[in-house]
Each structure stands twice: as structure tokens, then as C-alpha cells.
Amino acid sequence: MTIPFFGRTPIESKALVAELPELGYTDAWSAEVAGTDGFVPLALAAEWAPGLRLGSAIVPVYTRGPALLAMSAATLADVAPGRFVLGIGASSPVIVRNWNAAEFDRPYARMRDTLRFLRTALAGEKVTASYETFDVKGFRLERAPATPPRIVLAALRPGMLRLAAREADGAITNWLSPGDVTRVRAELGEGVELIARLFVVVTEDADAARAIGRRLLAAYLTVPVYAAFHEWLGRGEVLRPMHEAWAAGDRQAAVKAIPDEVVDDLVVHGDAAACRARIREYVAAGLDTPVLAPLPGGPVSVEQAVRDLAPGLG
């Protein structure tokens, strides 16, 4: 499950987070865009729901220095020994450059270098190294975690997926259909954990669900990395009207230009039983860890959706 829940602060999410293990959920994953950061909700969940595995999906590699990122990861690894997974990603130029005044340059190399640095630092070793995208001189964690966290990479296309398979402990992807999972898995290979956030609208009103999904899809799929991802997946032509409208500054037309079949491919919707069946399709296609993100705005509250989607219900 994604935490904190949409429209709620971490503290407002406390009771429902504590309920997740009883409902059959195994994991709680944070996100980091323009709301809560990626670490604090996980630290709170470590206390509220001690049985959950905790992961960040994702924290950007540009917006914290390498040493600070290692310190944050080490802290969570100590708070939740053996239960924390560090998910890192390149993020996007808007988040990195426009919002955080950092350079978004050579994302593949920066991800590779950050991963290699973190492996060494979180093992407790002193790091003095010149990487392709940054240098580190004489850094050592004051307290290395007894159990270093697993590290997984946000990966949308072959190069990053292969890097995740070679050097990381898994890959995180986003905005894909069960059929797309098959293609992603083919690049990643077997035996490597594949994680994906699945956006869910629990309602039998397909038009209402599509309206909610379209708004979010337009915001994501116009980001260059997601545009390239869906070009690779074969949706370039069907999404071209959306991209053209967005480039012309007509946001409403861009939203309307997303076809129903694309929304139905990428957003899980229907009654709770239909949603659970759709989630099982992702797993059958090769997804190891579906991270659900129930969306607000429909007739079913987020709290009720979390309970209705519980894995224990089958």
C-alpha cells in the first residue's frame, strides 16, 4: 500500500496504517514529489505497523547529496532492521531543476554512481572515490546499519532495467498494464524483484473512474521519461494528440485526448472484486510486488477502498 494515503497527512493516516497487517498487506511504500518526503512516513509506519516491509518509491538521487542519502537510508535501516528497502530514481527535470535548483544531467550515470556509492557507504566502508557524475572524499557513516537496506531502482526502459538486474536488488516501475509487465520482465530477467505502483479507483461507474484517471495520466505521461516509456511500450501514436495539446498549452484538451482504452489499461477500476482480479493479472504477468494507491474522488472512500482491496479477501 502507498502511504500516506491521498489527501491525508502521515498522522491522519496512522490508524489505517496500523490496520494494514491485519488486512493482509505486506508492504508500505512512500513516494516523494511535492507533498510528504520519502522517509518520515516510513519511520512512523515502522512504529505503527512493525510487521510491514517499508520502501521508498522513490527518492530522487539529485535532490540529496550522496552522503545525506546514505545517512537517511542508514537511519531507516536502523529503525526497521531488515524491513527497509531503499528505492531511488532519477525523478524528472521539473522536480530536480525547477523545484530543487539542481542539475538534471546524465540520469543513467547518476543512478549507477549513486547505487555504487550507497553499496559501499551502507556497508560501513570509508568512501573516497571519483565517480563519473560526482566525487566523494573521506565519507564514512558514523553508524553503519547492522543490516544494510536492499536497494531498488526506478526503471522504465531497457538500460535502467538492465542496470537494476546487474547491480541492484530490484526495479520499480509505474503506469503500466499487465501486458506491459511482460515486456518489462523480459528486459529485467527472472529472479529480480519487480515492483510497481498501481493506481486504483474502486467504483462501478467507469466514466467517473476514467475522469479521475485521465487527470493523473495527463500529468504523468507528458513528463519526458514517461513519454519515452510509453513510446517504447507502443503507445506513441495513440498518445500523440495528448502530447500535442499539452505542448500547445491546452491542458483540458490534453486530458480529453487520452482514449478510454489507455485509461482502462493503466488505471485499475471497477468494483472491489474486479479490482482485486485485475491486480492478480499483474502478478500473473510477472509483477512481484503490486503497490496499491487508491485514488480519492469516487463514491468509495480511500479508507473503505483499502479495506475492500485487502489481499486476504482473495
Side-chain angles (χ1 to χ4, degrees):
M1 185 56 64
T2 299
I3 63 168
F5 302 102
F6 278 97
R8 289 152 182 79
T9 67
I11 296 302
E12 291 167 346
S13 300
K14 177 180 179 179
L16 196 53
V17 169
E19 194 178 335
L20 292 178
E22 299 172 25
L23 294 170
Y25 292 100
T26 59
D27 293 26
W29 289 78
S30 64
E32 186 171 278
V33 181
T36 55
D37 81 331
F39 291 110
V40 171
L42 300 180
L44 294 169
E47 178 69 19
W48 298 338
L52 293 177
R53 185 173 71 150
L54 308 168
S56 58
I58 51 85
V59 292
V61 295
Y62 293 100
T63 54
R64 294 174 178 82
L68 179 57
L69 188 54
M71 287 187 284
S72 298
T75 301
L76 257 296
D78 275 343
V79 168
R83 295 191 291 123
F84 172 56
V85 181
L86 175 63
I88 57 174
S91 190
S92 72
V94 169
I95 292 172
V96 173
R97 185 181 298 134
N98 296 6
W99 299 353
N100 284 284
E103 286 302 314
F104 187 86
D105 184 41
R106 292 181 291 169
Y108 177 89
R110 183 59 179 255
M111 285 278 282
R112 181 201 60 213
D113 294 348
T114 302
L115 171 63
R116 292 175 179 176
F117 163 78
L118 288 169
R119 287 289 200 211
T120 306
L122 291 167
E125 298 178 32
K126 187 174 183 178
V127 184
T128 296
S130 290
Y131 300 94
E132 185 179 328
T133 57
F134 58 83
D135 296 333
V136 176
K137 298 177 181 179
F139 174 75
R140 188 198 300 270
L141 284 167
E142 290 182 6
R143 176 187 171 90
T147 304
R150 297 173 70 243
I151 304 174
V152 296
L153 306 184
L156 297 178
R157 286 188 291 162
M160 206 72 83
L161 287 164
R162 292 169 190 162
L163 176 64
R166 285 195 312 270
E167 299 193 34
D169 299 303
I172 303 170
T173 189
N174 198 5
W175 290 119
L176 77 175
S177 70
D180 298 331
V181 170
T182 303
R183 183 161 190 186
V184 170
R185 173 58 75 186
E187 294 292 341
L188 185 64
E190 298 300 325
V192 182
E193 184 176 11
L194 179 59
I195 303 149
R197 179 167 281 113
L198 307 181
F199 294 90
V200 185
V201 184
V202 181
T203 177
E204 296 181 60
D205 186 338
D207 289 338
R210 288 168 182 150
I212 293 167
R214 270 192 182 87
R215 290 193 294 271
L216 201 54
L217 281 167
Y220 269 90
L221 300 190
T222 51
V223 174
V225 291
Y226 281 104
F229 180 44
H230 283 273
E231 182 79 31
W232 175 62
L233 291 173
R235 295 192 181 90
E237 284 304 314
V238 75
L239 291 174
R240 188 176 304 281
M242 177 199 71
H243 289 298
E244 291 174 349
W246 192 272
D250 192 337
R251 302 297 189 252
Q252 290 186 351
V255 170
K256 292 177 182 177
I258 303 173
D260 285 352
E261 58 267 26
V262 171
V263 184
D264 295 345
D265 260 359
L266 304 179
V267 178
V268 176
H269 64 88
D271 64 21
C275 290
R276 292 195 303 271
R278 181 68 166 173
I279 293 161
R280 288 194 294 272
E281 290 181 30
Y282 281 90
V283 175
L287 179 63
D288 297 300
T289 307
V291 180
L292 308 187
L295 296 174
V300 177
S301 69
V302 168
E303 290 88 347
Q304 190 60 50
V306 169
R307 297 182 180 115
D308 289 347
L309 295 168
L313 296 176

